[in-house]
């Protein structure tokens, strides 16, 4: 009984939007296995999708780097819906908990990519939970231990469940993630305590702790000092404005439409490199391997692009019996 009204709706939409948008929407539904409850929702999502197509065209016109924008799994979401999953909250670190690493900018090798050293865990997917802050925190800790010769895959769910904060899927601060790790005495393995995408009852006491941290610290809000830190010490947690990432396909982002004052998404700097156009950061995201460049994106270095230098943070770990490896070029 729903089939005829649905066909009539499609004819009406086609008369307004034309064939291109409707065909692209059909491809989008098939590629990302989208299912809508009824013709009304279908019509609404098509309208949002068409609006997003116009946004991608505008972004592409303004792009000054090599980034390409287009249809992604988020193309049927409004900006408000999309940013619900980009939940790195804002606020100052409590003064009694704040440490700062005094890193002086110094000459660095041309490129540094910690992925090549095998110390970066696989790209994970936060799903519909605003837990980017927890993924970035855990990814940083995993990499720091990997650089010391102890590659690990640690539990993000433990931070969501066991933190003494009202964060979880509603968003959180980096410092809340690190404070939870310290309060818990460390993190258990991902295999023992897998990700569920919702905040549940803490179960960490059922498993053995794998690794912890000594402390965490803010870094200078200076990209040259950040590059020195990445090369000499390892990965860094940073916040970015995620609005361009909604439409990102590949390439190096350099776009004046990305407001650096509106950082709302936590990610992990895993290296930097350069090409004909200049130096760029290599960044690990938490939206799965099918997004972006196999779960990563690249973004211009040197002008606080999308706010990337606004809140650099890192865990500090030490192991007297370990030998720190060098960053591969």
């Amino acid at each position: 009984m729903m089939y005829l009204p649905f066909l009539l709706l499609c004819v009406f939409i086609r008369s307004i939007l034309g064939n291109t948008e409707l065909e692209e929407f059909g491809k989008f539904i098939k590629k990302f296995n989208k299912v809508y409850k009824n013709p009304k929702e279908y019509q609404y999502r098509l309208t949002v999708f068409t609006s997003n197509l116009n946004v991608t065209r505008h972004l592409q016109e303004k792009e000054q780097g090599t980034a390409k924008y287009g249809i992604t799994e988020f193309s049927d979401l409004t900006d408000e819906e999309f940013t619900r999953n980009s939940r790195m909250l804002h606020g100052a670190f409590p003064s009694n908990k704040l440490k700062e690493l005094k890193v002086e900018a110094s000459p660095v090798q041309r490129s540094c990519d910690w992925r090549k050293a095998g110390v970066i865990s696989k790209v994970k997917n936060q799903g519909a939970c605003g837990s980017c802050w927890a993924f970035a925190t855990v990814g940083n800790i995993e990499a720091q231990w990997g650089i010391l010769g102890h590659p690990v895959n640690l539990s993000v769910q433990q931070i969501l469940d066991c933190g003494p904060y009202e964060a979880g899927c509603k968003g959180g601060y980096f410092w809340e993630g690190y404070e939870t790790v310290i309060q818990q005495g460390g993190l258990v393995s991902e295999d023992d305590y897998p990700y569920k995408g919702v905040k549940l009852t803490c179960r960490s006491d059922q498993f053995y702790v794998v690794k912890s941290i000594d402390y965490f610290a803010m870094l200078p809000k200076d990209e040259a000092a950040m590059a020195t830190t990445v090369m000499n010490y390892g990965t860094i947690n940073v916040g970015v404005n995620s609005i361009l990432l909604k439409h990102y396909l590949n390439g190096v982002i350099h776009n004046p439409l990305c407001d650096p004052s509106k950082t709302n998404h936590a990610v992990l700097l895993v290296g930097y490199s350069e090409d004909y156009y200049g130096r760029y950061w290599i960044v690990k995201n938490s939206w799965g391997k099918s997004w972006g460049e196999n779960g990563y994106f690249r973004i211009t270095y040197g002008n606080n692009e999308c706010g990337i230098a606004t809140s650099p943070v890192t865990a500090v770990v030490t192991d007297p019996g370990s030998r720190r490896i060098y960053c591969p070029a």
Side-chain angles (χ1 to χ4, degrees), residues 136-172:
T137 298
V138 172
N140 175 239
I141 296 170
E142 290 171 335
Q144 297 294 3
W145 278 107
I147 291 167
L148 291 176
H150 305 285
V152 287
N153 186 28
L154 301 172
S155 174
V156 174
Q157 190 66 38
Q158 181 185 353
I159 288 184
L160 295 186
D161 292 350
C162 305
Y165 309 100
E166 292 299 323
C169 290
K170 297 179 181 179

Side-chain angles (χ1 to χ4, degrees), residues 229-282:
T229 303
V230 170
M231 188 186 80
N232 292 326
Y233 300 104
T235 61
I236 300 174
N237 286 149
V238 293
V240 293
N241 182 339
S242 68
I243 199 62
L244 267 65
L245 301 182
K246 174 183 177 181
H247 311 284
Y248 175 81
L249 298 177
N250 55 58
V252 180
I253 295 170
H254 181 28
N255 199 305
L257 298 179
C258 197
D259 188 341
S261 70
K262 295 182 179 179
T263 55
N264 62 354
H265 185 52
V267 289
L268 184 69
L269 284 188
V270 301
Y272 60 84
S273 189
E274 60 183 75
D275 57 18
Y276 177 81
Y277 298 98
R279 182 172 287 175
Y280 56 82
W281 294 108
I282 304 167

Side-chain angles (χ1 to χ4, degrees), residues 71 109 113 187 195 210 222 326:
I71 297 171
Q109 61 198 44
D113 188 345
L187 291 173
Y195 184 66
V210 176
D222 174 81
Y326 294 101

Side-chain angles (χ1 to χ4, degrees), residues 2 32 37 80 141 156 179 227 255 263 287 306 324-325:
M2 294 290 291
F32 295 107
K37 294 181 295 185
E80 181 182 4
I141 296 170
V156 174
E179 280 288 297
N255 199 305
T263 55
W287 295 343
C306 296
R324 182 175 292 273
I325 63 176

Side-chain angles (χ1 to χ4, degrees), residues 16-84:
I16 297 175
L17 299 179
N19 291 334
T20 302
E21 289 84 355
L22 198 56
E23 289 172 0
E24 290 296 330
F25 190 55
K27 294 176 185 177
F28 164 78
I29 290 173
K30 184 176 181 180
K31 179 177 181 179
F32 295 107
N33 298 313
K34 297 285 184 171
V35 178
Y36 303 121
K37 294 181 295 185
N38 51 50
K40 183 177 180 180
E41 184 184 9
Y42 176 94
Q43 181 181 9
Y44 175 69
R45 291 301 166 191
L46 175 55
T47 302
V48 173
F49 177 84
T50 302
S51 177
N52 281 327
L53 282 185
N54 292 329
V55 171
T56 62
R57 296 181 186 115
H58 185 52
L59 290 176
Q60 203 64 67
E61 291 171 357
K62 295 295 184 179
E63 179 59 35
Q64 298 173 8
T66 62
K68 301 297 181 185
Y69 305 97
I71 297 171
T72 71
E73 64 185 284
F74 308 114
S75 293
D76 62 345
L77 300 180
T78 66
D79 287 349
E80 181 182 4
E81 290 170 325
F82 171 74
T83 54
R84 288 173 191 164

